[in-house]
Amino acid sequence: MRHKKDAVTALAVFLFLFLVFAATSAPTISWWDSSEFVAAASCWGIPHPPGSPLYVTLSRVFCAFANDAALTARCVNFLSVTATAGAGVFLFLSLKKIFGTESIFKKYVLASAAVCGMMSFSVWDSAVEAEVYGLSTLAIFALLWMSLKTTEGKTRYFLTASYLIALSFSIHATAMISSIPVAAAFVLSEVKKRTKIIIVAVSLLCASLGASSYMILYFRALEKPSLNESSIESISDLTDVALRRQYGSNSLLERSTSSLTGYGFVKGFFYQNVSYVNYLSWQFTPFVREGKFGASGMALTSLFMTVFVLLFSYSLFRAFREKSKKKLAVFLLFMLCLSLVLVFVFNFKFCSSDTDPSHVPKEARPRDYFFSAGFALIYAFSLCSLIYVKRKIALTLSLIFTATGLYNGFTGHANRRGNWTAHAFAMNVLESTSGKSVIMVQGDNDTFTLWFAQIVGGIRNYDPVSDTGTIVINRTLLNLPWYMDEISEKIPFDLSKVYGDLFDEIDLEGKDVEDFCRNNALAVKNGDGRILYPGDVVARCILAEISGIDYDLSVIALSDSAFSDVIRKSGKMSCRLYSTSGFSELEGLWVREGLLLRAFGDSSENRRLLLGYDYGGIINRQHLDENGRLESFRTPALSAAFERDIDSRAMSVFYAAAVEALDTSDSLFWALSPVFLGGERGVSDESHE
């Protein structure tokens, strides 16, 4: 009967979290990796290394619930919703193992603690989009529960944990750090030494079976899916992808925060932990993270942090006195591995929000999601202290903390309800192109959203047979051999004209691109004295190829202005060339057409393009028609979802460009006044002004 009541409580935890995450889940793609994962799930493709094959495969299962392309992203998002809610169940069961559930009061407090832990910002933020961290958190908390069961001498849970640890690598490497506390739990278990040797041998077999799931990546690569970010043709190639060798590698004793600052190991590691504490402060309130209430917000956040430090200390003190020392040790070891050890292993750069100008390089975006499971554990463990206070006080405080968690999630960036900005960006950018086109982009937000629109939505997808559609070229990836090969199939550039036979010996896998180029004479200094690495050289070869220019090293190495003059004199291109931001190679040739810059463009095209834009999720609904097109332009207010989304600054740049095009194009605003002002043409000059 007790177990049945625990099952009912666990189900209540799952349903509460599922409904909360479902209510705030993204209706479509989000910025960063989300759109790439949805595109990979749609075509069962291979995203960036390490490829996450199990996550992509499970996402593809969720794709089966979508009866059209528009719902595909939302269905994949629900994998994160479901997995994160499931993680809350294992967190509750783990807390029950530590603190017990002898009474309904205890059960309620522990369930409330688990719910609040799962509503911490970083957990919630990953739970509402297509990301690996929800599924990874589920694996981590399942391993935590299995470890606590293992300390009771139930070694079958250790065997299952061994399988799950290896399996989790096909989701994300974060979960594998759980192997340390899992192993500790087995050592602490009361099992005979001879039996332990046998169990270890069997566990290695279980781990081998779990690791075999990574072979999905190898077999899918052989099928050449439409999204294939790794050229895997052998087990050696698979190993390179698994170890992320295309990104290079650094010694863990050499901190990323020390590379340009000159800090020693201790100081470099200290600042990485400062970043961790900064991320930790985001979890309980949105004040500092969202920049609310200024100094008052900072004070409120500091107050919450102080309260949780005190609650954590008290909870640890009481648990150490009264509960199983073995289980508590395993629980705390999980916390340590998911915080301090992760900071050491991931070795990230300075926080992107660090205001010290000497702190370089900085991360491209916050990396709080790496530590989301650890944040949930710390938050939940702190609130377990409420089982030791008077019931009325405990119930009141648990309600306050739950309400704070809901406020934190619903009013912050984690709430993606109605947020179509990344989706609208992709559609609007592709809407800006016509005929056979090439778009030069730089960075994940530009690239992944367009891949989603093409692969999942079929929008302006390039067809090699008819040679029509839009080719998206990410200049950041052009240094990588597999990407060079992929693009060369669409635009047949010839690097041997630049490098000669030397190019045949290029192997950049696992190497620092800049050092390799310097040491092997592959770096070219152009007329401006700027170093052109292979990616820059490839980009210039592509530009010369579509301009019909015969090129060699002397042409590729021209200064930016001289190279632009060569392209200008060609007078035409074999396709339309666009860019999300003007590149120096075509200086003076870029003209804005809609949300893109086009080489040899025509600004009068803005009229057609602006009318075709989808502003869903960007502008308040009352200004839009049923298709998300502008009906009224009388100072339309941005939607709450757009203002809440800190990553929408990429979209806001393009939105501002669209407004600027309206305001500056000759008579364009006046010509479109029936559409934007909602009235008849011929309104008064005063109204026009």
Side-chain angles (χ1 to χ4, degrees), residues 24 40-41 68 72 82 91 99 117 165 194 196 203 234 271 302 308 332-333 357 443 494 507 611 616 665 679:
T24 54
D68 59 55
T72 299
T82 307
L91 178 56
F99 295 96
I165 287 171
R194 181 176 297 178
K196 280 187 175 181
S203 72
S234 66
Y271 276 106
S302 299
F308 277 106
L332 293 176
L333 194 53
D494 188 355
D507 179 12
L611 284 172
S665 296

Side-chain angles (χ1 to χ4, degrees), residues 285-298:
T285 71
F287 307 130
V288 171
R289 186 187 69 248
E290 309 286 344
K292 294 184 177 181
F293 309 133
S296 300
M298 183 76 74

Side-chain angles (χ1 to χ4, degrees), residues 405-658:
L406 290 171
Y407 174 77
N408 188 20
F410 274 95
T411 62
H413 172 56
N415 184 0
R416 309 290 174 80
R417 185 178 181 85
N419 195 324
W420 290 81
T421 53
H423 180 99
F425 167 82
M427 299 304 172
N428 292 343
V429 164
L430 290 174
E431 180 70 25
S432 296
T433 68
S434 60
K436 181 184 177 183
S437 306
V438 170
I439 305 180
M440 289 265 188
V441 300
Q442 194 142 347
D444 295 352
N445 277 338
D446 286 357
T447 311
F448 294 159
T449 51
L450 300 186
W451 284 352
F452 160 80
Q454 291 188 315
I455 294 172
V456 180
I459 308 297
R460 298 282 302 152
N461 212 351
Y462 177 70
D463 180 7
V465 177
S466 61
D467 198 28
T468 58
T470 299
I471 301 169
V472 177
I473 299 179
N474 183 334
R475 290 194 57 161
T476 311
L477 298 178
L478 283 176
N479 272 325
L480 302 173
W482 65 265
Y483 194 61
M484 293 182 192
D485 292 341
E486 180 180 308
I487 296 302
S488 67
E489 292 177 2
K490 301 172 182 177
I491 303 174
F493 57 87
D494 188 355
L495 279 178
S496 65
K497 294 181 178 180
V498 180
Y499 292 122
D501 295 337
L502 186 61
F503 182 72
D504 296 333
E505 301 173 8
I506 288 181
D507 179 12
L508 298 178
E509 295 292 347
K511 298 180 176 66
D512 182 284
V513 172
E514 295 186 10
D515 287 342
F516 181 81
C517 291
R518 288 193 183 98
N519 295 336
N520 292 273
L522 296 177
V524 176
K525 183 178 287 188
N526 78 343
D528 296 320
R530 185 163 64 92
I531 299 296
L532 305 179
Y533 295 104
D536 304 307
V537 172
V538 170
R540 290 195 169 206
C541 289
I542 290 172
L543 294 175
E545 196 74 42
I546 63 179
S547 300
I549 297 170
D550 190 23
Y551 55 93
D552 56 17
L553 179 60
S554 63
V555 173
I556 297 303
L558 289 171
S559 66
D560 291 341
S561 58
F563 186 81
S564 299
D565 287 339
V566 171
I567 299 295
R568 188 195 311 274
K569 289 175 182 176
S570 70
K572 60 179 181 179
M573 294 186 168
S574 59
C575 60
R576 295 180 177 226
L577 176 66
Y578 298 91
S579 170
T580 50
S581 58
F583 294 106
S584 58
E585 286 90 352
L586 300 186
E587 185 180 312
L589 301 184
W590 297 108
V591 177
R592 179 166 296 283
E593 283 191 9
L595 295 189
L596 291 172
L597 297 170
R598 180 186 166 196
F600 303 108
D602 180 359
S603 61
S604 66
E605 289 288 302
N606 282 320
R607 179 191 302 249
R608 176 181 65 81
L609 295 170
L610 287 170
L611 284 172
Y613 284 169
D614 177 358
Y615 287 96
I618 302 171
I619 294 176
N620 276 345
R621 195 71 225 178
Q622 65 265 29
H623 298 282
L624 308 176
D625 64 17
E626 60 184 10
N627 297 315
R629 306 293 195 260
L630 278 170
E631 270 191 337
S632 146
F633 205 71
R634 186 172 292 152
T635 318
L638 297 177
S639 72
F642 182 84
E643 292 181 327
R644 192 171 55 232
D645 187 354
I646 59 173
D647 287 324
S648 291
R649 55 182 175 270
M651 187 66 212
S652 66
V653 171
F654 290 92
Y655 170 67

